[in-house]
Amino acid sequence: MIAALRMASVVVFLLLWEWAARAPISFAFPSPWATFTALIALVRSGALLGATAISLQSLLLGFGSAVVVGVPFGLVMGVVRPVGRVGRIYLDLLIALPTAALIPLVILSFGINIVSSAVIVFVFSAPFITMNAYGGVRDVRPRLVEMARAFDASWAQMFTQIVLPSALPMVLAGLRYGLSRAFVGLIVAELLLSPFGLGRIIMISRSMFEHDRMFATVLWTLLVAGLALTALARVEARLLRWRA
């Protein structure tokens, strides 16, 4: 039933897309078939795969750093309350800040390269990963902590057997949300900052009025992001099998 509904939604989307291309809403609006043909041509030429490899370097570097830094820091914020009170102020500011406004500062600090794109990806994703880890620790049921103390559990036992398993669902949810934000940051960085990767193909296609190639690159980016999020969701389901 769910699979049928998903297929129906895809069919409806394609029909609306075809109608929008025939209307026409805009001369720059290619049909699904033209977009698919351009996508196949880009894949065969190797340009799309090469650009994807470059973009994934920035994504893995930035998102990996966000996970390595954000998850432990969020857990520390939840366990050590003074750190949480201070750290939350800065995290709230980073979340509320228009992140694209940091791009000129990143250019001045790191130049125009893969590292600068990774920094933008980090800034886009790290605050949300950290806040979810912090929220997971803060949502641990006090009765479980009191029970552990009643049985003279050490701090390490309390953290590894109660706090961390209880916070794990929110931590993993934060990773999925952070990954989606990382893809947003990647495209923003490549469109406004770095002349390489998938953003470069989008920019060149737009300047050359090759809108089918531009739509094909955007569609490819959505497919890559969807596959990455699906893989992370499966890892999450496997790690949380004990909840059932």
Side-chain angles (χ1 to χ4, degrees), residues 62-80 83-92 94-95 121-139 167 170-179 181:
F63 180 69
S65 301
V67 173
V68 171
V69 174
V71 173
F73 185 59
L75 296 176
V76 170
M77 286 176 57
V79 173
V80 185
V83 176
R85 294 193 186 99
V86 175
R88 183 165 183 174
I89 297 174
Y90 295 99
L91 288 175
D92 289 338
L94 283 175
I95 291 174
V121 171
F122 176 87
V123 173
F124 264 79
S125 57
F128 299 93
I129 294 174
T130 306
M131 285 297 290
N132 267 56
Y134 169 70
V137 175
R138 299 301 298 163
D139 286 343
M170 285 199 66
V171 170
L172 294 175
L175 292 183
R176 281 194 291 112
Y177 185 46
L179 182 58
R181 291 281 304 173

Side-chain angles (χ1 to χ4, degrees), residues 3 20 41 46 57 63 76 91 93 120 138 160 170 202 215 233-234:
Q57 292 180 33
F63 180 69
V76 170
L91 288 175
L93 290 175
I120 297 298
R138 299 301 298 163
T160 57
M170 285 199 66
I202 295 175
F215 271 63
R234 290 191 174 183

Side-chain angles (χ1 to χ4, degrees), residues 49-239:
L49 297 180
T52 303
I54 295 174
S55 295
L56 288 180
Q57 292 180 33
S58 301
L59 181 74
L60 292 177
L61 181 59
F63 180 69
S65 301
V67 173
V68 171
V69 174
V71 173
F73 185 59
L75 296 176
V76 170
M77 286 176 57
V79 173
V80 185
R81 292 192 175 184
V83 176
R85 294 193 186 99
V86 175
R88 183 165 183 174
I89 297 174
Y90 295 99
L91 288 175
D92 289 338
L93 290 175
L94 283 175
I95 291 174
L97 179 69
T99 317
L102 295 176
I103 290 182
L105 179 61
V106 172
I107 294 176
L108 291 175
S109 302
F110 299 96
I112 300 178
N113 48 44
I114 292 179
V115 175
S116 57
S117 296
V119 171
I120 297 298
V121 171
F122 176 87
V123 173
F124 264 79
S125 57
F128 299 93
I129 294 174
T130 306
M131 285 297 290
N132 267 56
Y134 169 70
V137 175
R138 299 301 298 163
D139 286 343
V140 175
R141 287 183 291 180
R143 291 184 180 181
L144 295 177
V145 178
E146 293 173 2
M147 184 182 300
R149 289 174 178 170
F151 282 93
D152 294 328
S154 65
W155 185 90
Q157 290 175 326
M158 190 180 306
F159 181 79
T160 57
Q161 299 181 23
I162 294 178
V163 175
L164 191 57
S166 299
L168 190 58
M170 285 199 66
V171 170
L172 294 175
L175 292 183
R176 281 194 291 112
Y177 185 46
L179 182 58
S180 63
R181 291 281 304 173
F183 273 98
V184 174
L186 175 68
I187 298 303
V188 169
E190 291 188 346
L191 288 178
L192 302 180
L193 171 66
S194 306
F196 44 75
L198 294 172
R200 181 174 181 270
I201 297 180
I202 295 175
M203 293 288 290
I204 292 177
S205 300
R206 185 182 66 179
S207 63
M208 299 295 292
F209 296 98
E210 296 175 337
H211 301 107
D212 52 348
R213 289 168 56 94
M214 184 181 71
F215 271 63
T217 307
V218 173
L219 179 61
W220 174 263
T221 306
L222 291 175
L223 292 175
V224 172
L227 289 175
L229 290 171
T230 300
L232 190 56
R234 290 191 174 183
V235 172
E236 178 183 357
R238 179 165 295 185
L239 291 176

